[in-house]
Amino acid sequence: MNTPANSTVRNRVETLRQSLHHHNTLYHVQDNPEISDAEYDLLMQELVSLEKAHPDLQSPDSPTARVGAPPLFVFETTSHSLPMLSLDNAFAVQDIIEFDSRVKKALQIQDAVLYTAEPKLDGVAVELVYEDGKLIVASTRGDGMTGEVITANVKTIRSVPLQLQAGAFERRLEVRGEIIMDRKGFEKLNRSREDKNLPVFANPRNAAAGSLRQLDSMITATRPLDIFIYGTGLAPGLNNDSHWDILNRLKSMGFKVNPLIRPRLTLDQVLECYRELEESRSGLPYDIDGVVIKVDSLRYQGMLGEKSRSPRWAIAWKFQAIQGTTRIQAIEVQVGRTGVLTPVAHLEPVRIGGVWVSRATLHNEEEIQRKDIRIGDTVFVERAGDVIPKVVKVVTEKRSGNETAFQMPATCPACGSQAIRSSLDKSDRLESALRCFNARCPAQLKENIIHFASKRAFDMDGLGEKLAGQLVDAGLLTSYADIFQLTIEKLLKLNRMGQKSAENLISAINRSKKIQLSRFLYSLGIRHVGENIADILARKWGSLNAVMQQTPESMAEVEGIGKTIAESVHGFFSDPTNREVLDRILENGIEILSGTPVAGKTLEGKSFVLTGTLPNLTRSQAKALIEASGGKVGSAVSRNTSYLVAGEAAGSKLETARKIGVEIIDETALMQLLEGKLPAPSSSRLFQQCLI
Ligand code: IVH
């Protein structure tokens, strides 16, 4: 639909261009973005589609026609012998299927095309030029044609070879790659910047870019930078047939090539590889934001050629973003299960990683002061995996002057008792927090009840945040033991409670009365006793009575239970009020399924790898259970792996395990192993057949 543009479209295109230019400069030149990459991508996508629909609006200086921003004047510049291109982005499986079709169509072939799948490293693109084996110039991408010379800075990075191994080089060799900062190094750098009252970096990418942009390379030298090489510029001496061969050749010359690169994959294997990398993303030591898919054959790459800003033989399949920017509307103070007062930001809803985020934890008062967070501020918000969203950084440039500072209240917002500053653990290792010490504080009670009834505790379906609040406010619950005294009649007195819901809740409560010891211990809400610790206690002593009889000393002897935990558990069971509540719980016909205490560790010496989604256990639960029984959990399958535990949508680990003959088991078989039984061979074999 190539229609001439009307004035509304014209205006929108102009606004988008100005906005993209502005954000481009902030991102590429000043390393200080005001919007997230995902928001930038959205603006760019809108502009691309408007220009496509209205060719009369196309212009050579549109942000869609070039990559990056002009180099900073303070650095010397250099021309790249071959332009440093960017990549087209894909966001869904369909985009990759279409990419594969385009490739095949252009090559006029029906057979499968083989691809290399590489992690899309979230750092800074660089080119390194070697002459006679010596690094002579390192430069940034700049606008794709001309980059900034950052040789002195790059030379400080230890993984950059300054001299190639003898005999391994050609007269001139240009390689390209990504400079990154790993997460640990990034956290450490930000902590030390906070200590010096310097602004923190929003993410490792910005920290890497900022570190490379130092005029004084002594500063760069102190920054934990690393590099992975993923391709070449002009490299006349490297006449290999495939991209994968080139990578191997570069590796043999001393360049660091990412170990997660998977060579020669069919389209289906590429899709599987994407899932695998997305799954392992949060566990990697550095940030990746997608998968780069490249046609492996260099002959095919040549035939496919390039467009103005990107090659036709490669595409970047982006993961869902984990950061976004939004505004803090208000700050509310919540009272947790243990009385800790936590400030929580109410945000203008923003979509991050496929979900709407409207709240983020601000942790404590010190954190608010350190980051200088004010009501009304525009902030970077990050959501990683299951973790509660957090505010990373304030975009101070967006301040209007109307923002207001926030102060923690002097009293508990739920019960009005005085808030007292206390260390979160006895050793003072953790930051101090304001706490409410009123044992009858309704907010703490509500949180305790929500925890008690939650899925991984008593699993009382229907008893969530809202109902817990109503029940406490109506005076029907004064401790979690009262839950078992609830009746349909009592429930029906609550607002908007129907007969059916009341019946359902009572049957959920009755069903929950048969409970595993580890879940029971977890549900009590003892400080420092999460699922793993509860499981360790249950496995070690096998019954509630036995756990209750332990001294702090005998408990602290167990691996995984330190002094703090041991004292907390002992303190809980020694408290007369807690004992009374316990008695009241047990009066209700609760059956605690203990299992036999495990003498010795059933999985000692065995190593496991987990893949896919298990029906009942989360990854971390499975890992904790294996480790509590003495087993080890690794991330990659090798001949030393004893078992691969595979769930639904298991990826290439399953294939590897099959290839090298590692035993594959499912969750049921894992549970049998944990109980000291050998899984029935038929069950695991059957499982393998199902998956083939
Ligand atoms: S290949 C013509 N491979 O993504 C191909 N790029 O938007 C150019 N990146 O500028 C790049 N990991 O900074 C390639 N394994 C990888 C990459 C990668 C990260 C970055 C690179 C590039 C940008 C493209």
Side-chain angles (χ1 to χ4, degrees), residues 599-648:
K601 302 205 157 188
T602 48
L603 303 184
E604 194 87 65
K606 298 265 185 285
S607 66
F608 292 75
V609 173
L610 304 166
T611 185
T613 314
L614 300 177
N616 300 302
L617 294 169
T618 63
R619 275 280 164 102
S620 55
Q621 286 173 327
K623 186 166 181 274
L625 284 174
I626 293 168
E627 288 173 352
S629 289
K632 288 210 162 53
V633 180
S635 55
V637 177
S638 76
R639 285 182 208 286
N640 297 329
T641 309
S642 321
Y643 297 97
L644 176 77
V645 186
E648 208 179 305

Side-chain angles (χ1 to χ4, degrees), residues 85-87 118-121 125 141 178 230 292 294 311 313:
L85 298 173
S86 184
L87 292 167
E118 311 181 0
K120 186 169 189 301
L121 305 157
R141 186 174 67 187
E178 196 85 350
Y230 52 63
V292 181
K294 299 175 181 169
W313 44 264

Side-chain angles (χ1 to χ4, degrees), residues 139-156:
S139 58
T140 63
R141 186 174 67 187
D143 63 3
M145 307 302 287
T146 310
E148 298 152 352
V149 177
I150 50 166
T151 318
N153 289 346
V154 170
K155 280 185 171 173
T156 67

